[in-house]
Amino acid sequence: MTPEMRVLLVDDQELIRLGFRMVLEAEEDIVVVGEAGDGRAAIAQSAALAPDLVLMDVRMPELDGIAATQEIVRAHPQTRVLVLTTFDLDEYAFGAIRAGASGFLLKDAQRHEMISAVRAVHRGDAALSPRVTRMLMEHVGSRLDAASAAPDPTVAAERAAVDSLTDRERDVFLAIGHGLTNAEIAQRLFVGESTVKTHVGRVLAKLGARDRIHAVIVAHRLGLVGD
């Protein structure tokens, strides 16, 4: 039997949590182990329940999703965080990604998009469809432009890391930057998924990237991929 994926739902609106619970628990391999209505409760529940994945809202009372994400990732590195955002309102969504979230999901996502995003983040892939990636980069484009223009040692280090990639690793890195999954990269490069997984691991290690979404941010920050 496939091991169950243990999910913690975090949102200050009870009806939203109920809707997400119904969608997730309709899947045979997903179980919602708990709920929280604010960031402090999310931290406590993560410590008590050790979920595989936290579905995290950004704007909440008491403690917002950014601070909660940072603490959960720091204290429980095995737990992945998938951020919920509306993007037209949540100006702090990118801050949550920087705090350690492994992906992001639009609150108006369709049922299949939500399930795909949860599964992707759980397996170490990224919840990054081209549409969502484009929205994120439009939302934070001015910040990325400013970072690229400034004499930032982080940007210089990232450029050096990219330069150290082999040709095949660079191909994989650019594909990640465009939001492709391992299966899609394998199809594009005519190699097996296991080979892609190996290359992804090497790319992330050389970039010093925590996960795929941070590799996407690096690719956009350096201007290596566009919309």
Side-chain angles (χ1 to χ4, degrees):
M1 295 180 61
T2 303
E4 288 185 333
M5 184 196 315
R6 296 162 48 80
V7 178
L8 172 66
L9 299 178
V10 183
D11 195 290
D12 62 338
Q13 297 184 50
E14 184 176 357
L15 285 179
I16 288 181
R17 297 199 307 269
L18 176 61
F20 286 160
R21 176 184 282 272
M22 293 176 63
V23 170
L24 293 173
E25 292 198 328
E27 302 296 315
E28 293 184 354
D29 61 337
I30 300 177
V31 57
V32 176
V33 295
E35 298 183 16
D38 61 70
R40 295 191 191 284
I43 293 171
Q45 290 282 66
S46 294
L49 301 172
D52 299 309
L53 183 143
V54 178
L55 202 55
M56 178 76 75
D57 191 16
V58 175
R59 294 191 176 191
M60 295 181 292
E62 299 295 330
L63 191 70
D64 64 34
I66 298 175
T69 294
Q70 186 171 22
E71 176 58 24
I72 290 170
V73 170
R74 182 198 65 78
H76 313 286
Q78 76 282 0
T79 297
R80 293 184 174 275
V81 178
L82 176 59
V83 173
L84 291 167
T85 178
T86 56
F87 276 93
D88 57 336
L89 297 175
D90 292 343
E91 62 187 46
Y92 303 115
F94 186 59
I97 298 297
R98 294 182 64 183
S102 296
F104 49 92
L105 178 68
L106 299 181
K107 279 193 173 181
D108 64 353
Q110 298 297 310
R111 179 185 181 280
H112 72 277
E113 291 177 324
M114 178 181 182
I115 296 298
S116 294
V118 167
R119 293 192 190 284
V121 170
H122 179 249
R123 69 174 178 260
D125 229 326
L128 292 169
S129 70
R131 179 178 72 95
V132 176
T133 301
R134 182 167 57 253
M135 292 181 70
L136 174 67
M137 292 310 159
E138 288 175 354
H139 184 73
V140 302
S142 60
R143 300 183 190 185
L144 297 181
D145 291 342
S148 297
D152 188 342
T154 299
V155 173
E158 289 171 347
R159 291 190 186 281
V162 170
D163 289 342
S164 74
L165 299 177
T166 65
D167 289 344
R168 179 56 82 186
E169 288 168 352
R170 185 180 177 88
D171 290 340
V172 171
F173 171 53
L174 294 178
I176 292 173
H178 282 101
L180 273 62
T181 65
N182 283 358
E184 291 168 336
I185 296 173
Q187 185 176 23
R188 171 179 286 192
L189 301 181
F190 303 102
V191 297
E193 273 192 67
S194 60
T195 299
V196 172
K197 187 174 181 179
T198 298
H199 284 311
V200 169
R202 290 173 179 168
V203 168
L204 296 183
K206 288 185 177 181
L207 294 178
R210 182 171 48 251
D211 52 34
R212 296 170 74 105
I213 195 167
H214 292 85
V216 171
I217 291 171
V218 170
H220 280 264
R221 178 156 49 215
L222 298 182
L224 299 177
V225 295
D227 293 337

